[in-house]
């Protein structure tokens, strides 16, 4: 008796839809796992850098910087030609930054002022994974700082290197230490002073290096900002927009699939199909109705999400300063891209709806849309289109949902051509899929639930 | 004069040969009954006529034109009532009738069509309530009114009175009779008494084929029986099975 009930339950619940759902969810987690392992791999690799050393070979502190960088990074260029350094860096797929040790670096430090390193970052994308090498390099700068600090202390307090730790501590209230014999004397004009104001010599010992950072974001030079800061400023384009796009697609798609499920569950589909209305009108009516409901629902959701996320985002003015803000025309293209993608999504959902037996199975089928929307969302959040492998680029381009997610960032980088091609492709894909849906609505699969690809002559069964 | 011709129609579903060479015709302003046991192929035949299914072979002609060649052109002339027809549960009865009436706006003012539907249902004020609160009988009255209010040239009714009480069923039969003043009715029913009193001609289906066809009087006389029920039992039990079954 027990097994009778158990078998019935298993048969009821373990069907193609539930198995498909499990596979879909597994695919999401597997792809997420893949991306996480990609991230892990990136963090363990040495950042690739070029070092521009404009100091003479006997400049000890400059050499300390070079040695520290060599230990923690893959230095592909070490010399005095900035163009050559930048060229090699650009040619390397993982080239992260050109680090310049300027002339007078050693002397500045020896005179009790912070030494300055010029850092020109190469930022290839604004995704979280795109800035990993720069984040790793940021961490290595701490070691460089520490090495120079240690060297400075040795230079100023030669005894400190050999004294026990207790003896190294400087008593509170002691005056600035006397420069060591071997060290360069402090600058005569403003010792211990910087352009930013006077600095305590002890601060310089602890934090001897200041960085002057500029970033090449793709081909755009953004002065005085690191990739991490730029990435933070672009958070709205990298995170908020893909999430909102995915919600719109999910809600719109879910409305369509559910509508088909309800038509079947409520036994209204047969009546609808025999009314004097063309299949094309029927399909378009369903798509438009669902689009309106989906956009309305997503709009309400997006307002709430904006309130939550605006605390993490940079104000629009900051983007304008960087030259990464969007104009009215750009926003228009983003909306058109979204509409094209939404059209495709709804047509896809309607096609899935044909397979739905009832409302419950329709809900399960929305996971298929979830997978298709989540995949590009996660990729776009982590990587830029330009920085993913070609195979992934092809997949991203084929999935029309990717295009509105990528549109804002591409437009910010004045790559309107890419967005226009995406729009064209999405409309084409949506049109073809809608035509396919109309064909399916003309076929009897909608009534019978049986897919047939060839007509069997009646005599074959006799 | 023929309104609808069904000529040697077959329907094969994967491994099931559901309809085997069915042929009959429906004349203008007549009520044609299709009767037979469960699984005889009645509903499949009605669905093919209603353009929901395409015949695997054979042809269905409406006023001489192949319905499969131009289903969009044929649908405005018909009204199909499936056996288990449902209604959009979020609409009120009146809203549902208005919704359907708007599809026939090129024929008649939708408000006039809907008003006729309202009167046909006999549901009165209950039409202002959401359909989700209707009983099975009320829903059935609503969908029958929906099917007949548009005055189709051919009403295709699958078990129109199933689930209705005697009084409601009698009212529905009256509506069906009235419908012949505007067009023809093709109905399928298990209630042979209803078929006998309502239909001008009847086709018996069994195992996917028509095994006999005629007026109730003709059928009774041909088989020497007093009622259509007896004719039916005689046909089924005495081996009038189609070839191959």
């Amino acid at each position: 008796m027990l097994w009778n009930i158990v078998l019935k339950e298993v048969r009821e619940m373990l069907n193609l839809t539930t198995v498909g759902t499990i596979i879909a969810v597994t695919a999401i987690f597997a792809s997420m796992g893949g991306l996480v392992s990609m991230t892990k791999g990136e963090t363990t690799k040495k950042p690739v850098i070029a070092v521009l050393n404009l100091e003479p070979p006997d400049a000890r502190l400059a050499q300390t910087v070079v040695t520290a960088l060599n230990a923690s990074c893959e230095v592909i260029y070490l010399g005095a030609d900035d163009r050559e350094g930048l060229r090699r860096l650009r040619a390397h797929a993982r080239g992260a930054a050109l680090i310049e040790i300027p002339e007078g670096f050693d002397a500045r430090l020896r005179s009790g002022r912070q030494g300055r390193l010029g850092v020109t970052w190469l930022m290839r994308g604004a995704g979280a994974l795109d800035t990993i090498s720069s984040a790793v390099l940021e961490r290595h700068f701490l070691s460089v700082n520490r090495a120079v600090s240690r060297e400075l202390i040795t230079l100023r307090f030669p005894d400190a290197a050999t004294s026990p730790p207790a003896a190294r501590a400087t008593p509170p209230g002691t005056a600035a230490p006397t420069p060591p014999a071997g060290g360069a004397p402090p600058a005569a004009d403003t010792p211990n002073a910087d352009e930013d104001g006077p600095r305590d010599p002890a601060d310089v010992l602890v934090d001897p290096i200041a960085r002057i950072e500029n970033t090449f974001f793709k081909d755009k030079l953004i002065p005085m900002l690191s990739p991490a800061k730029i990435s933070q400023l672009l958070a709205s384009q990298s995170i908020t927009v893909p999430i909102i796009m995915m919600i719109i697609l999910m809600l719109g798609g879910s409305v369509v699939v559910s509508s088909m499920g309800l038509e079947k569950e409520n036994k209204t589909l047969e009546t609808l199909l025999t009314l004097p209305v063309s299949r094309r009108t029927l399909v378009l009516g369903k798509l438009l109705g669902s689009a309106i409901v989906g956009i309305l629902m997503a709009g309400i959701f997006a307002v709430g999400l904006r309130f939550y996320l605006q605390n993490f985002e940079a104000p629009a003015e900051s983007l304008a300063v960087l030259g990464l803000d969007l104009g009215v025309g750009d926003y228009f293209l983003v909306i058109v891209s979204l509409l094209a993608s939404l059209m495709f999504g709804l047509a896809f959902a309607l096609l899935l709806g044909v397979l739905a037996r009832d409302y419950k199975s329709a809900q399960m089928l929305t996971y298929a849309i979830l997978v298709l929307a989540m995949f590009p969302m996660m990729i776009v959040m982590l990587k830029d289109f330009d920085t993913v492998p070609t195979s992934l680029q092809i997949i991203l381009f084929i999935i029309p949902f990717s295009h509105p997610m990528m549109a804002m960032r591409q437009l910010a980088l004045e790559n309107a051509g890419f967005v226009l091609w995406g729009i064209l492709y999405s409309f084409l894909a949506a049109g073809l899929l809608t035509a396919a849906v109309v064909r399916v609505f003309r076929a009897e699969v909608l009534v019978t639930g049986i897919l047939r690809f060839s007509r069997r002559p009646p005599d074959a069964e006799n | 004069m023929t309104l609808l011709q069904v000529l040697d129609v077959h329907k094969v579903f994967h491994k099931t040969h559901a309809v085997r060479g069915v042929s009959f015709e429906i004349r203008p302003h007549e009520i044609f009954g299709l009767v037979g046991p469960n699984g005889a192929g009645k509903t499949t035949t009605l669905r093919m006529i209603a353009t929901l299914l395409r015949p695997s072979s054979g042809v269905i002609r409406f006023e001489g034109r192949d319905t499969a060649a131009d289903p969009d052109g044929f649908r405005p002339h018909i009204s199909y009532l499936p056996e288990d027809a449902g209604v959009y549960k979020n609409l009120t009865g009146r809203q549902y009738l208005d919704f359907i009436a708007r599809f026939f706006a090129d024929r008649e003012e939708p408000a006039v069509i809907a008003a006729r539907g309202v009167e046909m249902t006999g549901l009165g004020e209950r039409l202002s309530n959401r359909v989700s609160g209707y009983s099975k009988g009320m829903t059935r009255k609503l969908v029958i009114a929906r099917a007949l209010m548009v005055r189709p040239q051919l009403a295709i009714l699958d078990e129109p009175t199933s689930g209705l009480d005697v009084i409601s069923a009698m009212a529905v039969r009256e509506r069906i009779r009235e419908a012949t003043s505007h067009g023809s009715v093709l109905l399928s029913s298990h209630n042979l008494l209803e078929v006998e009193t309502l239909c001008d001609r009847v086709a018996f289906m069994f195992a996917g084929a028509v095994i006999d066809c005629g007026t109730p009087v003709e059928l009774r006389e041909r088989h020497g029986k007093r009622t259509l029920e007896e004719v039916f039992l005689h046909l089924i039990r005495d081996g009038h099975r189609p070839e191959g079954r």
Side-chain angles (χ1 to χ4, degrees):
Chain A
M1 285 295 177
L2 174 69
W3 282 110
N4 204 17
I5 294 168
V6 169
L7 279 174
K8 189 273 290 177
E9 290 296 320
V10 170
R11 267 194 220 110
E12 279 279 304
M13 286 189 262
L14 203 64
N15 51 44
L16 196 65
T17 319
T18 49
V19 172
T21 305
I22 292 163
I23 291 170
V25 173
T26 309
I28 292 174
F29 278 106
S31 55
M32 279 170 75
L35 286 167
V36 170
S37 69
M38 255 173 82
T39 316
K40 272 187 180 171
E42 289 283 329
T43 52
T44 53
K45 284 177 189 162
K46 281 185 173 181
V48 175
I49 59 166
V51 178
L52 197 66
N53 189 1
L54 303 180
E55 285 282 72
D58 60 340
R60 189 170 157 188
L61 292 166
Q63 283 307 317
T64 306
V65 172
V66 172
T67 309
L69 286 173
N70 257 323
S72 56
C73 304
E74 185 184 334
V75 179
I76 55 167
Y77 175 80
L78 177 60
D81 185 348
D82 58 344
R83 284 176 186 277
E84 179 58 17
L86 209 55
R87 190 193 64 75
R88 288 202 199 173
L89 207 60
R90 280 184 188 280
H92 198 289
R94 286 175 41 241
L98 172 80
I99 294 158
E100 180 191 343
I101 305 167
E103 217 174 317
F105 174 80
D106 203 278
R108 268 183 76 92
L109 281 166
R110 285 172 190 270
S111 68
R113 290 183 293 175
Q114 266 193 318
R116 284 180 173 167
L117 283 184
V119 183
T120 305
W121 297 97
L122 286 194
M123 189 177 174
R124 294 165 199 268
L129 278 182
D130 290 319
T131 52
I132 275 196
S133 58
S134 59
V136 173
L137 189 51
E138 290 265 7
R139 206 174 62 223
H140 292 322
F141 275 127
L142 293 176
S143 345
V144 174
N145 223 20
R146 216 165 24 243
V148 173
S149 179
R150 200 180 298 120
E151 192 64 30
L152 265 181
I153 291 169
T154 313
L155 284 171
R156 292 205 175 194
F157 307 102
D159 297 341
T162 50
S163 304
R168 288 183 205 167
T170 311
T174 38
T178 316
D189 47 355
T190 48
N192 304 333
D194 226 325
E195 281 83 345
D196 304 331
R199 288 184 74 94
D200 191 310
D203 285 347
V204 176
L205 285 178
V206 172
D207 184 18
I209 294 174
R211 275 178 281 149
I212 297 167
E213 296 176 302
N214 296 307
T215 302
F216 272 109
F217 184 24
K218 310 275 168 101
D219 291 323
K220 209 177 194 116
L221 179 66
I222 299 170
M224 308 307 283
L225 278 180
S226 67
K229 289 266 186 218
I230 295 169
S231 185
Q232 198 184 338
L233 291 172
L234 288 171
S236 63
Q237 292 168 12
S238 317
I239 298 170
T240 319
V241 173
I243 290 177
I244 290 175
M245 300 288 177
M246 199 202 69
I247 291 166
I248 291 175
L249 292 168
M250 273 304 299
L251 291 176
S254 151
V255 168
V256 177
V257 180
S258 304
S259 145
M260 284 305 293
L262 279 173
E263 290 272 12
K264 289 187 180 178
E265 189 168 299
N266 293 339
K267 312 279 184 195
T268 49
L269 187 62
E270 287 194 17
T271 301
L272 193 66
L273 292 174
T274 53
L275 289 172
V277 56
S278 73
R279 297 293 194 255
R280 192 183 296 118
T281 309
L282 203 61
V283 168
L284 289 179
K286 279 198 168 289
L287 291 181
L288 278 177
S290 312
I292 291 168
V293 176
I295 289 173
L296 197 69
M297 286 162 74
I300 294 165
F301 195 87
V303 170
L305 191 72
R306 285 292 302 176
F307 273 114
Y308 170 69
L309 289 173
Q310 67 187 5
N311 300 309
F312 307 104
E313 291 169 4
E317 309 86 71
S318 310
L319 293 175
V321 170
L322 300 180
L324 295 172
D325 59 327
L326 301 183
V328 178
D330 294 328
Y331 280 111
F332 176 74
L333 283 181
V334 172
I335 290 169
V336 174
S337 177
L338 174 64
L339 283 178
S341 171
L342 189 63
M343 264 184 66
F344 175 87
L346 295 181
F348 179 62
L350 202 49
L351 204 56
L352 288 175
V354 172
L355 304 173
R357 284 168 306 162
D358 49 30
Y359 185 74
K360 191 180 148 198
S361 67
Q363 290 298 308
M364 293 281 200
L365 286 166
T366 55
Y367 279 100
I369 307 168
L370 179 72
V371 173
L372 264 191
M374 267 196 85
F375 180 75
M377 186 195 78
M378 288 194 307
I379 301 283
V380 168
M381 280 166 77
L382 295 175
K383 297 280 270 181
D384 259 10
F385 182 80
D386 301 341
T387 58
V388 295
T390 313
S391 55
L392 212 52
Q393 281 185 337
I394 293 169
I395 296 171
L396 272 182
F397 199 91
I398 286 174
I399 302 172
F401 302 156
S402 317
H403 295 282
M405 296 179 184
M406 299 187 289
M408 282 187 88
R409 205 183 292 162
Q410 293 291 341
L411 289 167
L413 293 165
E414 288 157 17
N415 194 2
F418 179 86
V419 178
L420 285 169
W421 275 114
I423 290 171
L424 195 68
Y425 165 75
S426 300
F427 270 125
L428 192 69
L432 287 174
L433 196 61
T434 307
V437 174
V438 172
R439 267 187 80 93
V440 169
F441 265 66
R442 285 192 180 126
E444 54 189 45
V445 60
L446 215 53
V447 179
T448 60
I450 302 168
L451 274 169
R452 280 189 64 203
F453 300 102
S454 62
R455 187 176 290 186
R456 188 187 296 252
D459 290 344
E461 298 298 325
N462 286 338
Chain B
M1 179 73 177
T2 304
L3 182 73
L4 186 91
Q5 266 186 308
V6 179
L7 294 172
D8 194 27
V9 166
H10 289 256
K11 184 65 192 174
V12 182
F13 294 111
H14 192 48
K15 289 179 179 171
T16 310
H17 199 158
V19 173
R20 297 159 176 262
V22 164
S23 296
F24 59 85
E25 60 178 43
I26 299 171
R27 297 162 193 160
H29 306 286
E30 80 166 347
I31 301 175
F32 188 90
L34 208 53
V35 297
N38 292 330
K42 303 186 297 293
T43 297
T44 302
T45 304
L46 295 188
R47 281 175 162 185
M48 283 192 285
I49 294 169
T51 71
L52 288 170
L53 300 176
R54 287 174 75 95
S56 300
S57 69
V59 66
I60 298 169
R61 289 203 185 100
F62 181 79
E63 292 183 327
R65 289 187 297 274
D66 184 355
T67 58
D70 181 21
D72 285 349
F74 169 57
R75 281 187 205 109
H77 302 286
I78 61 163
S79 190
Y80 174 55
L81 174 71
E83 185 183 356
D84 52 0
V87 183
Y88 300 105
K89 294 194 181 339
N90 278 333
L91 300 182
T92 65
R94 190 180 296 271
Q95 284 170 337
Y96 178 66
L97 294 174
D98 287 337
F99 167 70
I100 298 293
R102 281 194 287 273
F103 286 104
F104 297 86
D106 57 343
R107 182 185 304 177
E108 202 176 358
E109 190 63 37
V112 176
I113 298 174
R116 194 158 51 233
V118 168
E119 194 264 321
M120 280 180 173
T121 61
L123 292 174
E125 288 304 308
R126 296 299 301 273
L127 281 172
S128 304
N129 297 344
R130 282 194 178 191
V131 174
S132 53
Y134 283 17
S135 67
K136 191 181 172 189
M138 287 166 71
T139 306
R140 198 66 188 159
K141 284 177 188 171
L142 183 65
V143 293
I144 290 167
R146 183 277 295 167
L148 297 178
M149 72 179 184
V150 297
R151 292 182 170 168
Q153 269 184 281
L154 177 65
I156 305 161
L157 312 176
D158 198 353
E159 298 285 348
T161 56
S162 81
L164 291 178
D165 59 54
V166 176
I167 298 167
S168 301
M170 285 176 70
V172 166
R173 281 180 210 125
E174 194 48 43
R175 296 293 179 204
I176 293 171
R177 275 192 201 96
E178 285 169 11
T180 55
S181 59
H182 308 283
S184 305
V185 176
L186 167 61
L187 73 84
S188 136
S189 178
H190 286 297
N191 185 340
L192 290 175
L193 191 62
E194 176 178 277
V195 171
E196 193 157 10
T197 56
L198 203 56
C199 296
D200 299 304
R201 290 187 308 128
V202 179
F204 281 100
M205 278 192 80
F206 184 65
V210 171
I211 52 175
D212 208 349
C213 184
T215 65
V217 175
E218 281 172 355
L219 287 165
R220 284 198 303 264
E221 285 177 356
R222 195 180 299 155
H223 297 281
K225 304 291 177 188
R226 287 175 302 165
T227 63
L228 280 188
E229 270 184 359
E230 287 176 11
V231 174
F232 177 72
L233 283 174
H234 166 71
L235 284 170
I236 303 303
R237 286 179 181 167
D238 298 348
H240 290 80
R241 293 180 176 226
E243 285 178 18
R245 295 295 291 252

